[in-house]
Amino acid sequence: MDLINSFRDKDKILALSQIIKQRSKKPLNIMEICGGHTHSIMKFGLPQLVGENINFIHGPGCPVCIMPRSRIDEAIAIASIDGVIFCTLADMLRVPGSKGSLAMLRADGADIRALYSPLDTITIAKENPDKKVVFFAIGFETTTPMSAVVVKQAVELNLQNLFIHMNHVTVPAPVRAIMSDKDVKIDAFLGPSHVSVITGSKIYEELANEFKTPIAVSGFEPLDLMDSILNLVNQHENGTHKVYNEYARVVSKDGNLKAKELIDRYFQPCDFEWRGLGVIKDSGLRLRDEFSYLDAKKYFNVEVGESKESKACICGEILRGKAKPYDCKVFGKVCNPQNPIGSCMVSGEGACAAYYKYSKRG
Amino acid sequence: MKKILLAHGGGGQEMNELINGLIFRIFDNEILAQGNDSAILNLSGKIAFSTDSFVVSPTKFPGGDIGKIAVCGTINDLAMVGAKPRYISCALIIEEGLGIDELKEILNSMKSTADEAGASIVCGDTKVVSKGSCDKIFINTSGIGEIIKESRVENLKSGAKILLSGDVGRHGAVILANRNELNLDLQSDCKPLNNVVEALLNASIAPLAMRDATRGGLSAVLNEWAKACGRDIKISEESIAVSDEVMGICEILGFEPYELANEGTFVLAIDPKDEIKALEILREFDSSANTIGEILDSNKGNVIIQNSYGASRFMEPPKGELLPRIC
Amino acid sequence: MCLSIPSKVISIDENNFAIVETLGVKRGVSLDLIAEPISVGDYVLIHVGFAMEKIDTKYALESLEIYKQIADDMNSGKISADEGDMGLAALKN
């Protein structure tokens, strides 16, 4: 069984395209929360398949993009310390801090490693007992349980040289923050795929009710997205605001309980400063007090000065759905994937990078 | 096992043994055997001349090794301008500690690849550097070929058909899989292309331009061409052959198959009248060869790829380090 | 955080570590995040070295069948795009 190509089938997608175009009668602003959806929508050219009335707005769901510069500066400060092996998932390497990026620091000789799996940090820590290994943990609920497993193993193996720099964040908080902004005009949401695998689809019910906005939890394949968009079109035309779980082949109502327990056992909510959205209460995660000895920020006690974002860059506006990449003066000119000014240009899933890669450049 | 020592690069007895006892013996040909400071060559007509350095890690991979790639790379660059490859140089920079057997294997694969392409390795140089100064072995090859019929980027014009000689991304996928501990039953496409090019030229098909889709893959070639001729190139996504395994690697790591390197696959721009015949010949060498698009009249210099749903987007050249996409 | 691929379980070892396959590419993943028993032949969703969840293949096939029905009906003119109220959402649930 091919669970990838079956969901890219041309005939089925074109049939849905036709239905969506005919049913979509009034303008519909859909925010896709997740950067993976932004990527799929652009890669498969879906805006060309859904008609003129539908406008996609790219949300805050790219963990690289929402990272404030101060946290990058902390990462760079820690990675600069002698004897540190700094481990992170790949995209993070190129995100510009106040002074350079992790990739530049690596070129200067710092030991910075791009991992495929967070679990690799355990192996690296075991193999390098005389070094301090730091895992730069980033991501939404999708990746949080994997970091929890790293903490679990570090605790169980009593590893003395492994530390975590926590940057995990949660989805509902920024959605609420965006919807509470009166200038934002969003009629419907595409709910993230893999976040929802962990959290379950029911976390969206409160949001859908509170803001009277339909939400479709969608898979990543074009067929998934077209089905979800059709549902949102139908709901928009009919004035309903239900949660539709299109991705029920992996997303249940309650999510992955084992993963959620792990998260809960090692982490607890904390305030987090989002790029473009500011500090949102309880929107991030930190280590529970009993495991705070693993906290890299505490252990290395790094203090970075106030970090300023570039003035020209409008990543903040873009992350709030108030502007499109084209609206930015530096987009595609000074700011491009080789020389990203803002974080939305760094990750393959940042709205700017996706526009730059797949779409016209203004 | 015997290893390369710094002494092997010292100009003395050990170096002599390495060069005469191993390298000359493997590359074995008359010009090399003359032992002059320069190779003295017999050539006629217009000459193509190309050079390339190879720093492949790992040095050995399914479907080839750094030796094979070092010869293919230069042979293919010569073939791409319509030349018949004749002579190749081989400059080795070896890290001390490399096993002599490993070196032997690399040299043997250089020799057999050159033989396959009908070229000789006629001059060279050997340096040994201290541990850590290079990654096992770096190889530079230069090559000279006699032009049969010139293919040049300047010939690109609107209306030309774009053909692809095989499926894309295999070499890049094999290397990526190895670096990311992914297992797959896939071989690099690494091979000399001069034979298929000569078959085209012998059939009186003169491609307007040819380029092997090495680093940067298909999208790098097409974007360079679009810029060079100042026209848009339109590609049909469905027509590009991609193996399941390459697709799998791309799905897992978040790449596009068009950005992955190839070492034995090339792109041709062909006058429409030659398209059918050219395809026939290409398919004798690789059944997955196909026409993938054409050069348009419009002059923005973009590469536009249309998917099977009829939606189109730009095919961007790859940028920066190939880092797995995590999010 | 979204690259996540459906993969088939090829083998499972005593450490709850599985070899999975996607389009001919095999790799090792941890099954530690899944509570329910996983068997060889099951499909799981993989993310950064872990299986996140078992895929309900029966449900997936049913969805595909519904999409196929719709495409067939559209192509044969049995239904027009304007028909129906809730579309697939209603059909599937």
Side-chain angles (χ1 to χ4, degrees):
Chain A
M1 182 171 28
D2 182 349
L3 287 169
I4 297 175
N5 288 312
S6 309
F7 284 89
R8 295 183 184 176
D9 182 82
K10 178 181 169 184
D11 289 347
K12 298 180 181 117
I13 284 162
L14 292 182
L16 288 184
S17 160
Q18 222 178 320
I19 303 177
I20 289 171
K21 280 182 185 165
Q22 297 203 25
R23 288 199 186 164
S24 161
K25 303 238 162 41
K26 50 184 186 184
L28 167 58
N29 289 326
I30 299 177
M31 174 175 268
E32 75 275 5
I33 299 168
C34 167
H37 279 146
T38 306
H39 191 85
S40 282
I41 288 168
M42 301 309 284
K43 176 173 169 175
F44 294 105
L46 301 192
Q48 298 164 57
L49 301 179
V50 295
E52 300 281 313
N53 281 332
I54 296 176
N55 177 34
F56 292 102
I57 298 172
H58 315 297
C62 156
V64 175
C65 305
I66 55 89
M67 195 75 77
R69 199 162 260 204
S70 56
R71 284 180 180 256
I72 313 288
D73 290 344
E74 278 173 23
I76 289 175
I78 293 172
S80 311
I81 297 169
D82 257 357
V84 164
I85 301 177
F86 194 84
C87 303
T88 179
L89 300 172
D91 276 4
M92 219 50 232
L93 287 183
R94 292 192 293 130
V95 184
S98 301
K99 286 172 246 150
S101 63
L102 287 166
M104 289 178 193
L105 190 64
R106 186 176 63 175
D108 287 339
D111 193 344
I112 297 173
R113 304 187 189 182
L115 305 181
Y116 171 65
S117 165
L119 266 192
D120 297 343
T121 50
I122 300 289
T123 320
I124 295 171
K126 280 193 208 157
E127 285 170 356
N128 297 279
D130 53 335
K131 300 268 171 124
K132 308 266 185 258
V133 177
V134 178
F135 177 51
F136 194 66
I138 60 166
F140 286 88
E141 288 91 334
T142 325
T143 314
T144 317
M146 293 71 178
S147 296
V149 173
V150 171
V151 176
K152 178 171 184 270
Q153 295 203 4
V155 171
E156 285 170 4
L157 296 165
N158 196 20
L159 291 174
Q160 299 295 317
N161 64 332
L162 179 63
F163 303 92
I164 318 284
H165 191 287
M166 283 287 289
N167 303 282
H168 282 297
V169 286
T170 56
V171 157
V175 172
R176 187 161 273 125
I178 287 167
M179 288 306 280
S180 305
D181 183 335
K182 285 192 184 62
D183 296 341
V184 170
K185 304 246 178 307
I186 293 165
D187 305 308
F189 283 99
L190 282 168
S193 315
H194 299 128
V195 162
S196 311
V197 171
I198 303 295
T199 62
S201 63
K202 79 172 176 201
I203 63 161
Y204 305 107
E205 276 162 17
E206 211 183 299
L207 289 169
N209 280 329
E210 191 178 333
F211 299 105
K212 305 213 174 336
T213 305
I215 301 179
V217 176
S218 176
F220 277 122
E221 297 302 339
L223 198 46
D224 291 319
L225 280 160
M226 293 297 275
D227 181 2
S228 302
I229 293 164
L230 174 58
N231 175 270
L232 293 176
V233 167
N234 283 330
Q235 292 213 50
H236 185 58
E237 297 292 331
N238 297 333
T240 57
H241 50 267
K242 293 183 179 142
V243 173
Y244 169 50
N245 182 8
E246 184 279 334
Y247 205 33
R249 60 184 183 273
V250 269
V251 173
S252 61
K253 202 157 187 169
D254 294 318
N256 183 331
L257 296 176
K258 189 171 177 186
K260 287 204 285 192
E261 274 166 30
L262 269 168
I263 295 174
D264 196 44
R265 186 161 145 213
Y266 294 102
F267 304 140
Q268 69 177 68
C270 67
D271 298 349
F272 188 94
E273 186 198 342
W274 296 63
R275 180 182 281 226
L277 300 176
V279 176
I280 304 176
K281 196 171 175 353
D282 288 343
S283 64
L285 291 168
R286 66 172 176 86
L287 285 154
R288 287 198 174 278
D289 289 341
E290 55 181 309
F291 306 111
S292 66
Y293 63 95
L294 293 167
D295 186 337
K297 195 178 171 189
K298 282 206 179 114
Y299 181 84
F300 293 103
N301 195 21
V302 287
E303 272 308 321
V304 295
E306 202 181 323
S307 313
K308 288 233 161 52
E309 306 290 346
S310 155
K311 274 199 187 119
C313 166
I314 60 164
C315 276
E317 300 285 296
I318 293 168
L319 288 170
R320 271 180 290 169
K322 285 183 162 181
K324 290 258 186 188
Y326 307 142
D327 301 329
C328 179
K329 287 199 179 76
V330 290
F331 172 75
K333 298 178 186 104
V334 207
C335 181
N336 57 57
Q338 283 151 306
N339 175 36
I341 304 289
S343 50
C344 296
M345 189 57 97
V346 175
S347 162
E349 292 185 4
C352 295
Y355 268 62
Y356 188 90
K357 191 167 167 65
Y358 293 128
S359 177
K360 62 181 178 190
R361 264 151 260 155
Chain B
M1 192 179 71
K2 284 194 181 163
K3 286 178 191 294
I4 293 287
L5 306 174
L6 279 174
H8 284 111
Q13 180 67 24
E14 293 90 340
M15 185 158 169
N16 197 18
E17 273 168 26
L18 175 69
I19 290 173
N20 287 311
L22 190 70
I23 300 176
F24 276 33
R25 205 157 40 79
I26 291 174
F27 289 164
D28 181 38
N29 61 66
E30 278 173 19
I31 299 171
L32 195 61
Q34 288 163 1
N36 291 310
D37 274 5
S38 293
I40 298 168
L41 311 173
N42 245 332
L43 289 158
S44 58
K46 252 189 173 174
I47 300 298
F49 178 36
S50 181
T51 189
D52 209 339
S53 299
F54 299 84
V55 292
V56 190
S57 171
T59 53
K60 200 175 166 168
F61 48 84
D65 63 14
I66 190 170
K68 183 174 181 188
I69 254 192
V71 173
C72 286
T74 289
I75 295 279
N76 293 348
D77 283 347
L78 294 172
M80 290 304 110
V81 297
K84 183 178 178 62
R86 296 289 310 276
Y87 303 110
I88 297 175
S89 73
C90 162
L92 306 170
I93 294 173
I94 307 174
E95 185 186 24
E96 68 173 321
L98 181 76
I100 301 256
D101 285 347
E102 216 174 331
L103 177 63
K104 213 165 157 179
E105 203 178 326
I106 291 167
L107 296 172
N108 274 323
S109 79
M110 290 185 80
K111 164 73 171 162
S112 62
T113 311
D115 284 350
E116 186 184 341
S120 314
I121 302 171
V122 293
C123 59
D125 177 54
T126 305
K127 296 278 187 300
V128 179
V129 295
S130 56
K131 197 90 190 162
S133 298
C134 87
D135 187 3
K136 283 187 155 185
I137 183 166
F138 294 162
I139 302 179
N140 172 278
T141 58
S142 296
I144 289 177
E146 289 165 338
I147 296 279
I148 307 170
K149 177 85 176 76
E150 263 174 74
S151 279
R152 288 166 173 259
V153 175
E154 298 100 277
N155 297 342
L156 293 169
K157 58 179 187 194
S158 56
K161 297 284 178 190
I162 305 290
L163 277 59
L164 184 61
S165 73
D167 61 328
V168 290
R170 269 193 282 139
H171 181 72
V174 163
I175 299 292
L176 274 174
N178 192 291
R179 289 184 191 163
N180 289 285
E181 293 174 19
L182 301 166
N183 289 317
L184 73 177
D185 190 13
L186 185 73
Q187 305 244 311
S188 164
D189 60 334
C190 181
K191 61 174 177 290
L193 290 168
N194 62 308
N195 294 327
V196 51
V197 170
E198 281 163 37
L200 286 168
L201 298 175
N202 289 340
S204 304
I205 292 169
L208 301 169
M210 298 183 271
R211 183 155 293 171
D212 52 342
T214 53
R215 249 179 323 169
L218 176 62
S219 68
V221 174
L222 294 174
N223 277 286
E224 277 170 34
W225 280 7
K227 276 217 171 61
C229 70
R231 309 237 168 240
D232 294 334
I233 297 180
K234 189 172 183 185
I235 298 295
S236 144
E237 189 163 30
E238 277 177 298
S239 63
I240 302 171
V242 182
S243 71
D244 268 2
E245 289 83 357
V246 170
M247 213 54 228
I249 292 275
C250 286
E251 292 295 335
I252 290 165
L253 298 175
F255 295 127
E256 299 271 2
Y258 327 121
E259 297 176 356
L260 299 185
N262 308 276
E263 289 295 339
T265 304
F266 69 114
V267 192
L268 311 74
I270 292 272
D271 192 292
K273 72 176 169 28
D274 293 331
E275 182 194 348
I276 308 260
K277 184 88 211 264
L279 258 185
E280 231 170 69
I281 294 170
L282 290 175
R283 285 183 178 157
E284 282 170 23
F285 290 82
D286 187 334
S287 59
S288 59
N290 209 357
T291 301
I292 60 166
E294 63 184 329
I295 303 181
L296 303 179
D297 264 336
S298 51
N299 53 7
K300 293 239 169 70
N302 287 319
V303 181
I304 301 147
I305 177 164
Q306 188 174 54
N307 66 19
S308 64
Y309 324 136
S312 40
R313 58 176 166 95
F314 287 116
M315 186 193 261
E316 267 299 307
K319 292 194 176 65
E321 189 181 352
L322 278 183
L323 291 170
R325 188 163 69 89
I326 38 119
C327 57
Chain C
M1 289 283 133
C2 304
L3 268 182
S4 189
I5 315 297
S7 305
K8 187 178 182 175
V9 177
I10 304 293
S11 65
I12 304 172
D13 74 9
E14 65 281 5
N15 297 319
N16 209 23
F17 200 76
I19 303 294
V20 299
E21 182 184 346
T22 312
L23 296 171
V25 184
K26 295 195 187 75
R27 66 212 149 120
V29 298
S30 163
L31 297 179
D32 282 350
L33 287 181
I34 302 192
E36 62 181 310
I38 298 289
S39 323
V40 170
D42 282 347
Y43 284 80
V44 287
L45 198 61
I46 306 299
H47 179 65
V48 296
F50 286 84
M52 296 172 72
E53 195 57 271
K54 185 166 154 177
I55 299 172
D56 183 343
T57 48
K58 191 164 157 270
Y59 186 90
L61 290 176
E62 280 167 16
S63 309
L64 287 168
E65 192 46 47
I66 293 170
Y67 295 133
K68 183 174 179 301
Q69 199 57 50
I70 300 226
D72 290 350
D73 287 354
M74 286 273 301
N75 292 337
S76 64
K78 255 197 216 160
I79 58 164
S80 87
D82 278 332
E83 248 172 69
D85 195 23
M86 283 294 285
L88 296 190
L91 278 167
K92 272 173 73 176
N93 287 344

